[in-house]
Every structure is written in structure tokens, then in C-alpha cells.
Amino acid sequence: MQLLPNTASLAEKRGAATARLGQIAFINCLPVVLPLARGHVPIAAAVTYASPAELNALAGSGALDVTAMSSFFFLQHGGFELLPGVSISCSGPVGSVLFFSKVPLTALSGACVAVPASSATSVNLLRVLLLDELKVNIEVCVELEPSLEDARYEGALVIGDRALSVDADWSQRYWRTDLGRWWLRRTGLPMVFGLWAASSGWAAANREQFTTLAGSLVEAAKMGLSALLPDVVKEAHRRTGLDPDRLKSYFLEQLDYRLTGSHLDGLECFKQLCLRHQLLRPAPVAS
């Protein structure tokens, strides 16, 4: 997906080093991406668009300086510094991280569940909630497009654009669980699915640019949810075909692009639950 051409030349004109920036290609990031892509908020960066899993891999290999990434990858890796003020979160039903099952959740112990490869956070959130509240342990199988049409699976986790697309149909046929709603009920805290972070070495060596990039992302999110919201909804409709009013409520009422102290508490709670259930590697003990 090419939304932001000639970013390198923009950086050169401004006399700034060009940061290698990763952005998520799902519509949930459009309020942040679109104002930058259309030049309403200037940014000195060469942009790569990909799925969260692809961006995680690029960040882990050192191919990106700053990137949107899954919260789980951020917690597991440990080599990144958070950009303040911006995230991809929810404080209640999120609408685009949905688990559908052929049986009630309590009957899923030992069952095979189809999950996407594109989001480590959502997969581990599902496992954490099932284990922590219901003592249910599932077997996960990664699929390109998880589906309950496959007889092997008792459940399917769908995220992002696809979750929004299948929701109306699948909700009529299967048990539906919105993981954002479940997380808030369980913890009372926001759920941070994704965030922006810079490699620690790059952040230390480019402190001014780190601060400027963070400010640009925050400004873009504010603009994408206000003056440019009609454009964001129009682009999301073009990509998904979903009703514009549904998309508007998704951006304004279900997604949360802030990163406050409460969001950081939610991120820490997710970390501790992942550690409790041995989904995260414990930090090494200093000798």
C-alpha cells in the first residue's frame, strides 16, 4: 500500500535525517495515517505499510527506526522506547477484535481454535482471558483467514478489517465475544493493542527527531478524528464497503488513540497476566 510518496525528498528539503517509519495497513490506523499521508501533518520519514506481525519482524531485524507495533511484541522484545501520547487502544467494546465459537467459552478447554498470524497481542489476549477467568486452555492454529467453516476448529479469532466485515453474519450463527469488552469487565482498564515505539539505540541518538515524530503522530490522530474524519471514513468505506455511519462510530466510540497513565496501567496489567500464564519470557535477573 503506497500512501505516502516522496517522503525521503521531503526530509532532505527540511535538512533532516529520514527516519524509517512503519505504519499499520489496517483501517484502524487511518486516523493517524491519513493526515500524514496527505501532508496535513509534515513528517520526515520513509514509510513502510504492513500488518502488525510484518512490522514486528521488520522492527526486530533492525529494518525500521520507529514503527507501530503490537503491544505483545513491545513487551516481549524489550529493545524499544515508547513514543508518548498515541496508541491503538479501546476502553470497552472494540468491534474489530472478535472471537467467535461454535460452543460456549466454558466448553472450549482443549479445543482447536483458528487465529490470525497478523496480531500477537490479540491472540495472547484471548489466551490470557480464557486462562485467567475460565481456566480454559485452547490449542491455537495460525491461519491466513481464520474461519469456522473448517470443521477442525471450535473457535476463530478475527481482527481488524476482516472482523468488521464478518461480524454481522457470524454474530447470527456463532457465540460472539468482543475481547475489548471482556478485558474492561475483567480489569477495569483500557486495552492497548498497538503502540508506536523506536529502537532504543535510534531514540538515544536522535532525541530531537524522536520528540518531533511523537508530536506529529499525536497531532495526526487529533486531526484524523476531527477535521479529516470525513476523509478517514470515506477511505475506510472505499476499502471495506462498510456503512459510513458504522465506520464513524468505530473510530469515535470504539477505538481510542490516546496513551495516558491509565493506558500504561492497562499495558502493565496485560504484561503481568501474560507472565502469570507463561506467555511472556520473564526479564533476565541482573547478576
Side-chain angles (χ1 to χ4, degrees), residues 212-282:
T212 300
L213 276 171
S216 294
L217 290 168
V218 171
E219 183 182 352
K222 290 178 179 177
M223 187 177 293
L225 295 172
S226 56
L228 287 184
L229 180 62
D231 291 348
V232 167
V233 170
K234 183 178 180 180
E235 176 63 17
H237 172 69
R238 185 188 70 79
R239 295 191 196 180
T240 65
L242 292 172
D243 179 74
D245 287 338
R246 169 69 185 94
L247 291 165
K248 184 177 179 180
S249 68
Y250 175 58
F251 291 123
L252 291 179
E253 299 170 15
Q254 294 185 303
L255 292 175
D256 182 357
Y257 296 91
R258 299 170 300 159
L259 185 61
T260 67
S262 180
H263 291 77
L264 293 175
D265 289 343
L267 185 63
E268 179 63 22
C269 181
F270 180 55
K271 175 184 177 180
Q272 294 305 319
L273 287 173
C274 286
L275 287 170
R276 177 188 300 173
H277 296 290
Q278 301 181 323
L279 301 176
L280 266 176
R281 296 185 302 268

Side-chain angles (χ1 to χ4, degrees), residues 29-109:
C29 281
L30 279 174
V32 178
V33 167
L34 205 66
L36 299 171
R38 296 189 176 176
H40 295 281
V41 178
I43 190 167
V47 181
T48 297
Y49 296 95
S51 72
E54 291 166 333
L55 293 178
N56 291 347
L58 289 170
S61 70
L64 295 171
D65 302 313
V66 182
T67 185
M69 64 176 60
S70 71
S71 298
F72 186 82
F73 177 80
F74 173 79
L75 294 172
Q76 186 175 60
H77 192 282
F80 297 92
E81 181 175 342
L82 274 180
L83 272 71
V86 63
S87 73
I88 307 160
S89 303
C90 69
S91 297
V94 65
S96 58
V97 183
L98 304 177
F99 181 66
F100 293 93
S101 57
K102 297 173 181 176
V103 297
L105 298 180
T106 51
L108 282 170
S109 194

Side-chain angles (χ1 to χ4, degrees), residues 155-239:
L157 176 67
V158 286
I159 67 168
D161 301 3
R162 185 157 185 264
L164 293 168
S165 297
V166 305
D167 190 11
D169 177 33
W170 287 20
S171 293
Q172 301 302 312
R173 297 192 283 149
Y174 305 116
W175 297 80
R176 177 189 187 273
T177 304
D178 184 305
L179 297 193
R181 183 196 301 273
W182 191 0
W183 174 261
L184 181 67
R185 178 176 60 79
R186 182 70 176 164
T187 69
L189 294 166
M191 178 62 207
V192 181
F193 290 98
L195 36 79
W196 278 260
S199 66
S200 298
W202 185 89
N206 299 274
R207 183 54 54 185
E208 183 176 350
Q209 194 173 4
F210 174 92
T211 302
T212 300
L213 276 171
S216 294
L217 290 168
V218 171
E219 183 182 352
K222 290 178 179 177
M223 187 177 293
L225 295 172
S226 56
L228 287 184
L229 180 62
D231 291 348
V232 167
V233 170
K234 183 178 180 180
E235 176 63 17
H237 172 69
R238 185 188 70 79
R239 295 191 196 180

